[in-house]
Amino acid sequence: QVQLVESGGGSVQAGGSLRLSCAASTLLGGSYCMGWFRQAPGKEREGVAAIDRYGTTTYADSVKARFTISNSAPTLYLQMNSLKPEDTAMYYCAAKFGGCGTVQPAHFAYWGQGTQVTVSS
């Protein structure tokens, strides 16, 4: 079992920055993928960014050039800059064994409890 614990959420004004952290209970061996997802009220959970064990990253178009995912095992990070009100959501860390492939929530087996990010205009 892999346990994930997120931290770093909070409230910021538009244009501000936050860094989310996700501490894993164990180092993942072999091929794996770790990612950040978010879910706003009334919306489906969506992939934000993912990184595999080789450091290959993928981002949602809406966050490219603003967010940066990095992995310093056993901690995963998401640096979020130039935040917008539409970035407001609960942010979740997730992990799966195997490559990242298509970053869909259903493909990830392990989830954190989430951390709230609120961006005001």
Side-chain angles (χ1 to χ4, degrees):
Q1 280 287 351
V2 179
Q3 295 180 327
L4 304 170
V5 179
E6 302 98 333
S7 61
S11 297
V12 295
Q13 291 190 327
S17 298
L18 283 173
R19 188 175 82 154
L20 305 183
S21 299
C22 171
S25 59
T26 183
L27 291 174
L28 277 69
S31 177
Y32 65 84
C33 177
M34 297 191 73
W36 289 97
F37 294 79
R38 66 186 182 187
Q39 187 167 19
K43 294 188 176 182
E44 293 187 353
R45 191 169 298 188
E46 64 174 355
V48 174
I51 186 168
D52 66 17
R53 68 164 295 167
Y54 303 106
T56 302
T57 58
T58 183
Y59 295 92
D61 288 343
S62 59
V63 306
K64 281 180 181 176
R66 299 190 298 123
F67 290 10
T68 302
I69 188 171
S70 61
N71 186 13
S72 183
T75 304
L76 181 73
Y77 299 98
L78 184 68
Q79 178 67 44
M80 304 186 295
N81 298 328
S82 302
L83 282 161
K84 305 175 180 180
E86 51 264 42
D87 294 319
T88 295
M90 184 72 79
Y91 282 70
Y92 298 90
C93 171
K96 66 184 287 287
F97 289 102
C100 286
T102 302
V103 182
Q104 296 290 337
H107 297 169
F108 285 73
Y110 306 100
W111 291 85
Q113 82 289 350
T115 186
Q116 178 67 38
V117 172
T118 302
V119 185
S120 58
S121 57

